Amino acid sequence: MRDFYGTQLKNGLMLGTAQYPSPAILASAFAQSEASVATVSLRRESGQNRAGQDFWELIRQLNVHILPNTAGCHSVKEAVTTAHMAREVFDTKWIKLEVIGEEDTLQPDVFGLVEAARILTEDGFQVFPYTTEDLVVAERLLHAGCEVLMPWGAPIGSGLGLNNVFGLRAMRAHFPDTPLVIDAGLGLPSQATQAMELGYDAILLNTAVAKAGDPAAMARAFALALQAGRLGAGADPMEPRDMAAPSTPVIGKAFLE
């Protein structure tokens, strides 16, 4: 497992905290997943309502690393301001940076993303950028100071899995020493296994677990899927072939006359 800004995680599962039916189900899902990281969105709290404060206390009790995000931000200024607020609330340099550029797909505005990453890195943040699988953008983000890349698998909340396996494989090959996280679009544990088999270091997901009929069971399934994918990738798997190859040797086979 690679280090994420000097922190080594016990596993590669980063789990979101939104959309769960209840706080108890959220806590159960995290317990079953054994996730290393919880992602949280910053929201302003009402002075007459302690619901937000109770939520933050629940997150702290999960005893995992906290990764605040700038979800819903559509401009550099908005993302940078939200990141600074999150650092004050959670007392962490980590920030998942989202700058959304297109409403229907929630695709990142990669131009704003690079600019915001540069600003936040200079301000002392350790940035986890939600990006596409574009290699040029990835290079720009690394030059801006990012030490982690988080390409999407598919649009947020879509459950479509890994839409561009070629591009994701190329990113892994092009940046062999950079921690890579599949962020968004996963819907099934098998898709998480595929990400690990491609050599990725972690996955980040929310909707696939929170919106499942049994979030705790789905969280456990994703945890096991990551283990399977990582073990498979490390076992030197066979290369695909265009032709059949018999698994039973012909030498020594009995022939009847």
Side-chain angles (χ1 to χ4, degrees):
M1 176 68 68
R2 286 182 173 84
D3 288 350
F4 292 81
Y5 291 103
T7 297
Q8 190 166 50
L9 305 179
K10 65 180 181 181
N11 60 42
L13 185 54
M14 302 180 178
L15 193 57
T17 55
Q19 307 183 74
Y20 290 86
S22 71
I25 291 176
L26 184 157
S28 178
F30 266 85
Q32 289 298 315
S33 73
E34 300 181 352
S36 297
V37 175
T39 63
V40 294
S41 298
L42 186 68
R43 293 290 183 267
R44 286 191 172 89
E45 301 174 14
S46 167
Q48 298 178 346
N49 186 346
R50 291 186 54 85
Q53 298 175 38
D54 292 341
F55 174 74
W56 303 142
E57 184 58 33
L58 170 63
I59 298 304
R60 293 186 183 96
Q61 291 175 1
L62 295 175
N63 195 31
V64 297
H65 296 281
I66 304 299
L67 178 60
N69 68 40
T70 63
C73 292
H74 290 75
S75 70
V76 172
K77 182 178 180 181
E78 187 180 10
V80 169
T81 300
T82 301
H84 279 276
M85 294 171 63
R87 182 163 64 179
E88 292 182 11
V89 171
F90 295 106
D91 191 27
T92 178
K93 295 179 180 180
W94 282 13
I95 191 72
K96 178 191 169 186
L97 180 60
E98 295 184 24
V99 183
I100 301 301
E102 205 281 322
E103 287 291 346
D104 290 335
T105 62
L106 299 180
Q107 180 169 329
D109 171 2
V110 295
F111 305 101
L113 181 69
V114 172
E115 182 181 353
R118 178 186 56 77
I119 293 170
L120 290 173
T121 298
E122 291 176 353
D123 286 342
F125 284 87
Q126 296 172 336
V127 179
F128 293 67
Y130 164 61
T131 184
T132 65
E133 66 277 17
D134 188 291
L135 298 181
V136 177
V137 175
E139 289 277 12
R140 298 289 176 85
L141 287 167
L142 294 177
H143 290 160
C146 297
E147 297 181 14
V148 176
L149 296 171
M150 301 180 69
W152 64 349
I156 294 172
S158 68
L160 292 173
L162 305 182
N163 276 356
N164 184 1
V165 173
F166 171 81
L168 293 171
R169 183 181 288 114
M171 180 172 278
R172 177 71 285 173
H174 198 73
F175 303 105
D177 300 321
T178 300
L180 298 182
V181 183
I182 294 292
D183 179 9
L186 299 185
L188 294 171
S190 57
Q191 297 162 353
T193 299
Q194 184 182 20
M196 294 296 103
E197 289 171 344
L198 289 176
Y200 277 68
D201 301 292
I203 65 166
L204 192 158
L205 72 156
N206 189 166
T207 308
V209 171
K211 289 298 187 180
D214 186 339
M218 186 61 77
R220 184 59 181 162
F222 269 100
L224 295 174
L226 261 70
Q227 293 180 29
R230 184 170 289 111
L231 286 171
D236 191 17
M238 64 175 285
E239 293 291 333
R241 300 188 181 105
D242 292 330
M243 301 292 290
S247 57
T248 301
V250 176
I251 298 176
K253 180 179 178 181
F255 290 91
L256 299 178
E257 296 184 357

